[in-house]
Amino acid sequence: MHDSVWGTLSLDPWESTLLELSVFQRLRGLRQTGFAYLTYPTAEHSRFQHTLGVMEAASRIFDSLQRRINDGGLSEKGLSERADNRVFKRRAHNVARWRMLLRLAALVHDIGHSVFSHSSERVYALIKPFPELMAGFQGGNAKRPGAAEVMVYLLVTSPEWRKLVDNLWNKATQSPKPPTADEWERIGRWVLGQETARDLKFLADIISGPFDADKLDYVFRDGYVSGIPVGYDLMRLIATICVDPQEDKEAKKDLWRLTLSMRGINALEQLVMGRLVLNSYLYHHHKCRAAECAFERTLAREYLAKKTVLGRKRVWDLFGLQDADTYEFSKGHSRNAKEIRNLYNRRLRVRVVEFRGEDVVQPTSQRASFGFTKLTEFASIASWDRYEALLAIEDRIARKAGLAIGTVIVDVPKSPDYADLENVLLPGRRGQAGELPANVLTYRGWISAYASHRSYVRVFAPRGQSTENKVWNAAKEVFFKDFGLTLPEMARVAHR
């Protein structure tokens, strides 16, 4: 099999067999970057392509570590404690098994996505039982997983999944044996970024961590396929990744973490900057946001009104859908169907208001500063109460403008997050203490600058001079009354 990013890919017989399952083939019909294709026409790549890329990236990271055990694959501390690690110790007999499990984790890591990827996830993540499950998996040094990751865990740890895989696996090969129930549990935890065994934490990091295979693939692939010149030294990064036992205060023990030697710092800098560029050009492009938000609001309003999503009463039914199923839904006569039909016909709302914190009148005043902070809290919504509060703001603007409820959208995008880099050290040389990436790279400043200068609050509404005038005046009134923000004329976006 040939891939545009990684070249020729080699699959083992059991992997080829599993890929024929509908749960994997469904990924061909899920766009990796949601509605970005409406602005970047070549961004039609799928979750299936990305999945194969992540499996290849994970394999290359693992193989690089094994190949360089005595030449940078392990830190100085790792080499001195090598005998304590079941993957790196001399004459380790199970290396091929760990590699197989790692590839399987990469293979399943995205099967929990639904239509248009993260656009729908932001809605079904609020539907029971996902909020409780996501909170339940968080704790200790574990990050809060996404709903899609939780869905993967639920699937691969189910008896039905193991029975299905065992049957297909044994038809494809007699050696190696399929994963055991305990190994599927471990694979599911890796997708969540979790591992309880101190010597195996780096394997979870390869799947979900600061330098994981997911980032190595999507940063390069999303930029390449979209035509955005984002590049980083992929081979250098893989050649300088290493494993280092590091103190974990929550676990109260050393965990073997996937990290990077100082020789790879330039490649890391390129990767971090590449993610920021993609946020600016692609993920936060105003046309991409207009489409993503319109779809998300359509699903959210349907659920709040009818307790259904795309006509489905059970949240689990969403995980059998592809993007094309929304086209069938758009043929209906409901308002929600019309909204989705508008997306397929690229009849998008336009920007009427666009501003940053520094753009409001007297931005440093206590009232404006507090109000803007309060507004930006809508970037991360973790409950239906908060979602309804956002919808209420949109509806107040719509009513004041004399428009129908649901016509206006207020978009508060989430700023790029590099929190995963804050809990891993870059190992020092010759006994020197390790350094936080933030002490070597100035990415905190980059993120702060992005949040201040490139992250916009926007109000979208249907195109039309009269409508836009009314929405502008209504938005000014609502933002002043609710948040104490006085919008200058420069915050208005004019259209011919």
Side-chain angles (χ1 to χ4, degrees):
M1 192 176 293
H2 193 81
D3 179 68
S4 59
V5 172
W6 298 95
T8 300
L9 311 180
S10 297
L11 301 178
D12 289 310
W14 55 89
E15 294 167 343
S16 298
T17 300
L18 291 182
L19 278 174
E20 294 176 3
L21 288 171
S22 60
V23 72
F24 292 109
Q25 292 300 313
R26 184 181 72 93
L27 299 179
R28 292 183 186 271
L30 299 181
R31 288 184 176 88
Q32 167 78 5
T33 51
F35 289 95
Y37 75 100
L38 294 175
T39 303
Y40 296 90
T42 55
E44 294 270 7
H45 55 307
S46 69
R47 288 275 161 189
F48 185 83
Q49 296 162 2
H50 169 62
T51 291
L52 294 178
V54 173
M55 186 165 66
E56 180 66 17
S59 304
R60 294 198 187 189
I61 292 171
F62 185 89
D63 293 344
S64 175
L65 294 172
Q66 283 291 322
R67 188 170 55 250
R68 298 182 297 108
I69 286 179
N70 295 304
D71 188 27
L74 294 179
S75 66
E76 291 182 2
K77 185 177 181 181
L79 274 175
S80 67
E81 299 178 13
R82 178 180 175 183
D84 297 334
N85 190 291
R86 71 191 88 174
V87 180
F88 295 115
K89 66 181 181 181
R90 289 179 175 81
R91 292 185 294 278
H93 64 280
N94 55 356
V95 172
R97 185 77 180 177
W98 292 119
R99 186 180 189 274
M100 181 194 80
L101 297 179
L102 185 71
R103 284 175 63 86
L104 286 174
L107 194 64
V108 303
H109 89 281
D110 259 359
I111 59 177
H113 278 290
S114 186
V115 290
F116 292 103
S117 298
H118 295 293
S119 301
S120 61
E121 183 180 9
R122 286 187 284 270
V123 174
Y124 70 74
L126 302 178
I127 300 175
K128 291 182 178 181
F130 282 108
E132 294 82 1
L133 290 170
M134 291 159 64
F137 281 115
Q138 186 179 15
N141 66 341
K143 67 182 180 72
R144 183 182 176 90
E149 295 166 335
V150 170
M151 187 62 196
V152 174
Y153 174 85
L154 295 177
L155 179 61
V156 302
T157 56
S158 67
E160 294 81 5
W161 171 263
R162 187 184 171 199
K163 182 179 179 180
L164 174 64
V165 171
D166 283 359
N167 183 46
L168 292 172
W169 192 294
N170 291 326
K171 288 179 180 179
T173 184
Q174 294 302 307
S175 179
K177 295 297 182 183
T180 64
D182 287 343
E183 287 173 333
W184 277 119
E185 169 72 23
R186 175 158 268 147
I187 287 171
R189 290 284 179 175
W190 288 351
V191 173
L192 300 174
Q194 300 175 7
E195 173 55 68
T196 56
R198 60 180 294 272
D199 62 328
L200 300 179
K201 182 63 172 73
F202 75 96
L203 293 173
D205 287 339
I206 293 176
I207 301 300
S208 181
F211 318 103
D212 60 41
D214 184 58
K215 294 183 187 68
L216 264 59
D217 184 80
Y218 86 70
V219 171
F220 197 99
R221 188 179 302 276
D222 288 359
Y224 173 73
V225 176
S226 303
I228 299 171
V230 175
Y232 68 96
D233 196 339
L234 186 61
M235 296 304 107
R236 178 68 175 178
L237 197 69
I238 291 176
T240 52
I241 273 177
C242 66
V243 175
D244 179 46
Q246 299 185 359
E247 180 184 4
D248 186 279
K249 294 180 180 178
E250 291 286 345
K252 297 181 180 179
K253 59 184 177 182
D254 280 359
L255 301 180
W256 290 65
R257 300 298 308 275
L258 186 73
T259 183
L260 195 72
S261 74
M262 289 294 183
R263 292 182 299 150
I265 198 67
N266 290 337
L268 175 60
E269 183 177 42
Q270 293 169 343
L271 179 64
V272 171
M273 182 57 73
R275 289 174 65 188
L276 278 176
V277 170
L278 285 175
N279 271 281
S280 180
Y281 279 76
L282 184 66
Y283 310 137
H284 288 177
H285 188 284
H286 66 92
K287 286 295 184 185
C288 296
R289 291 301 303 165
E292 299 268 349
C293 291
F295 184 71
E296 180 188 325
R297 297 297 192 277
T298 300
L299 301 190
R301 288 181 182 274
E302 179 192 347
Y303 181 78
L304 288 170
K306 302 178 180 179
K307 292 297 181 285
T308 63
V309 179
L310 294 172
R312 274 72 178 178
K313 294 182 179 180
R314 301 190 318 153
V315 67
W316 312 113
D317 293 337
L318 297 177
F319 304 101
L321 301 181
Q322 293 181 311
D323 294 351
D325 289 299
T326 63
Y327 182 76
E328 191 64 29
F329 180 84
S330 74
K331 294 179 180 179
H333 301 289
S334 67
R335 178 173 179 175
N336 290 339
K338 181 182 178 181
E339 281 281 4
I340 295 177
R341 191 158 60 246
N342 284 339
L343 291 175
Y344 275 105
N345 293 324
R346 205 181 181 276
R347 288 198 287 267
L348 305 178
R349 291 169 174 82
V350 297
R351 291 172 294 169
V352 178
V353 182
E354 181 178 76
F355 65 95
R356 304 159 297 180
E358 64 185 37
D359 294 329
V360 303
V361 176
Q362 295 182 327
T364 59
S365 69
Q366 184 176 4
R367 184 180 183 187
S369 179
F370 176 79
F372 191 77
T373 299
K374 181 181 175 183
L375 178 59
T376 56
E377 289 174 357
F378 285 109
S380 298
I381 296 178
S383 71
W384 281 117
D385 287 344
R386 291 294 294 160
Y387 210 114
E388 288 183 290
L390 177 60
L391 296 180
I393 296 169
E394 296 176 348
D395 293 345
R396 281 198 294 278
I397 296 174
R399 281 194 296 269
K400 288 182 180 296
L403 301 176
I405 297 300
T407 302
V408 173
I409 291 174
V410 176
D411 177 34
V412 186
K414 186 177 181 180
S415 295
D417 181 10
Y418 292 84
D420 52 2
L421 286 174
E422 299 294 325
N423 64 358
V424 68
L425 297 175
L426 306 179
R429 295 178 178 176
R430 299 181 180 87
Q432 294 179 337
E435 288 276 7
L436 281 170
N439 294 339
V440 182
L441 299 177
T442 58
Y443 67 85
R444 287 176 181 164
W446 303 343
I447 297 170
S448 177
Y450 185 94
S452 298
H453 305 297
R454 303 301 300 273
S455 188
Y456 295 91
V457 174
R458 296 183 176 113
V459 178
F460 296 106
R463 183 184 292 273
Q465 191 63 52
S466 176
T467 296
E468 293 172 41
N469 288 341
K470 293 175 183 177
V471 170
W472 163 247
N473 290 324
K476 283 197 299 182
E477 185 178 338
V478 170
F479 282 127
F480 179 77
K481 184 177 180 180
D482 290 8
F483 300 99
L485 302 176
T486 301
L487 301 184
E489 193 63 29
M490 66 177 288
R492 179 174 182 176
V493 181
H495 300 95
R496 294 180 180 179

